[in-house]
Amino acid sequence: MLGWGVEFLRAEMNRLLSLLFHQGVLDEQFLQLQQLQDESSPNFVSEVITIYFHESEKLLRNLRLLLMDKELSDYKKMDIHLNQMMGSSSSIGAKRVRNVCVAFRAASEQNNHAGCLRALELLEHEYCYLKNKLHELFQIEQQRALASGVRYPAQHD
Amino acid sequence: MASPSTRIDDGHDMDSVNSGLMREKLSVLVVDNDALVRKVHEKIVSKLKVAKQVQIQTATNGKEALDLHLSGSSFDIILMDMQMPIMDGTEATKELRAMGVESMIVGVTSADARADKEAFTEAGLDQCLAKPLTADKIKSLVETLEKNK
């Protein structure tokens, strides 16, 4: 019964991953990240994603602060934050987040405050969606690991 | 001064067909202010098994990279991010070349880095690659290194 649970959870993980690839939320770089995980670093993916969440939230806060004052928006600083978010997003395969950063940067280059605000809202939305889905993925992975770590009592006929 | 991290991997590769032809040692410096990018690039390099011993160090900005060289370290490949605080990749590359550093310096940038990328390349890069770095891209760098030996 519990073995069946492990398979079910594995199927759930694959279904979720397929959905995220199909939606363009993730790209093959995420698979590269998974392939980097091994016995010497069994939590590599979750460690990297945790860093990503932590850094991205700081960057998003900074971007919002920069845009709060329409007259004094520092577009050069915005560019630096966006560049970092693009780099880290592309490194984990967060394709849609990265693409929104590109559009955001285009607005920033034109000193387009309204465009930047719209882009920031979209970026926050995409980031939240990604974060929720990755949390879901890790929860399923944890359940799968727990289920496969269960020892079955010996069965006698 | 923040101390850069060092990691040495013993490149035992059970799967390598050509382990006899593998280079003895590869030393790589990953320079990036983004902790995530450093972690991922470090892991990619360590898993490549392109040498019997792979030594990886990281630095969080161009100045740290310079300080490592001033303290006597040298590397086969330097993966240099472009945009970093304190000292960016362009300036660090210029300084390293002015110091006589002949290592392969590879710029690593966001794909749409435009005109800045030109200045970065002219600072003395051997190549400029777009993020994300992949195992294939880094393998290709090592092959180039071997060809130019």
Side-chain angles (χ1 to χ4, degrees):
Chain A
M1 281 286 283
L2 287 167
W4 177 78
V6 171
E7 286 313 307
F8 172 77
L9 289 167
R10 195 193 308 271
E12 277 299 291
M13 271 184 68
N14 289 338
R15 184 199 60 78
L16 180 54
L17 267 175
S18 294
L19 176 68
L20 294 174
F21 277 100
H22 180 72
Q23 290 176 332
V25 173
L26 293 177
D27 65 23
E28 64 179 23
Q29 185 65 17
F30 188 78
L31 295 177
Q32 294 251 351
L33 204 67
Q34 287 183 314
Q35 282 164 15
L36 292 174
Q37 185 157 296
D38 56 23
E39 281 171 6
S40 70
S41 47
N43 302 313
F44 180 75
V45 177
S46 65
E47 285 168 9
V48 168
I49 299 297
T50 300
I51 297 173
Y52 178 72
F53 289 156
H54 179 73
E55 293 300 311
S56 295
E57 275 155 39
K58 258 198 308 190
L59 291 169
L60 287 170
R61 266 197 308 273
N62 290 344
L63 285 165
R64 185 143 295 273
L65 279 170
L66 284 169
L67 281 169
M68 271 173 69
D69 188 336
K70 187 178 175 171
E71 300 307 319
L72 298 173
S73 284
D74 188 335
Y75 292 100
K76 196 170 153 74
K77 259 201 194 131
M78 242 182 272
D79 196 54
I80 291 171
H81 294 323
L82 284 170
N83 212 50
Q84 185 168 341
M85 194 144 183
M86 276 170 64
S88 53
S89 297
S90 68
S91 295
I92 68 156
K95 184 173 161 187
R96 270 194 352 209
V97 169
R98 187 203 170 271
N99 290 345
V100 176
C101 288
V102 172
F104 194 154
R105 199 163 75 171
S108 163
E109 282 168 6
Q110 291 160 9
N111 290 6
N112 178 354
H113 190 267
C116 286
L117 269 174
R118 277 194 298 274
L120 176 60
E121 277 159 20
L122 184 56
L123 184 58
E124 286 166 340
H125 171 81
E126 287 296 341
Y127 169 77
C128 276
Y129 184 76
L130 172 71
K131 186 174 176 181
N132 288 339
K133 288 300 168 191
L134 287 178
H135 271 316
E136 203 180 313
L137 196 67
F138 290 142
Q139 269 170 3
I140 301 173
E141 167 61 28
Q142 271 175 357
Q143 285 166 13
R144 191 185 69 86
L146 278 170
S148 58
V150 170
R151 290 187 178 277
Y152 299 96
Q155 292 192 342
H156 302 283
D157 291 331
Chain B
M1 185 198 304
S3 43
S5 74
T6 309
R7 180 189 168 139
I8 298 177
D9 270 282
D10 188 352
H12 281 308
D13 180 15
M14 305 296 280
D15 298 327
S16 172
V17 173
N18 296 318
S19 58
L21 302 172
M22 211 188 270
R23 60 186 290 143
E24 280 300 314
K25 192 176 151 234
L26 177 74
S27 59
V28 178
L29 174 63
V30 177
V31 190
D32 203 303
N33 60 309
D34 190 332
L36 182 154
V37 171
R38 285 198 306 275
K39 190 175 174 82
V40 171
H41 290 178
E42 186 178 12
K43 190 67 177 173
I44 293 175
V45 174
S46 73
K47 277 193 81 93
L48 272 184
K49 311 295 185 198
V50 290
K52 290 176 187 170
Q53 192 185 65
V54 178
Q55 184 175 36
I56 306 153
Q57 281 189 260
T58 62
T60 62
N61 58 62
K63 185 175 179 311
E64 266 186 37
L66 239 65
D67 289 340
L68 274 173
H69 285 82
L70 288 168
S71 66
S73 297
S74 66
F75 305 91
D76 296 305
I77 299 176
I78 301 170
L79 300 173
M80 181 79 78
D81 184 28
M82 188 168 76
Q83 216 172 54
M84 293 178 288
I86 302 173
M87 185 185 284
D88 65 19
T90 306
E91 199 184 333
T93 303
K94 271 190 210 154
E95 294 287 332
L96 287 170
R97 291 306 190 206
M99 278 166 61
V101 169
E102 294 180 345
S103 312
M104 176 188 276
I105 304 180
V106 178
V108 184
T109 67
S110 307
D112 312 31
R114 316 156 315 254
D116 305 332
K117 201 168 146 182
E118 216 178 285
F120 194 16
T121 306
E122 283 168 13
L125 296 180
D126 290 282
Q127 259 191 75
C128 199
L129 297 175
K131 284 177 185 173
L133 284 188
T134 61
D136 284 342
K137 286 179 186 176
I138 300 182
K139 253 187 225 166
S140 166
L141 295 178
V142 179
E143 281 164 15
T144 304
L145 204 60
E146 288 297 299
K147 264 188 230 159
N148 296 344
K149 248 199 316 199

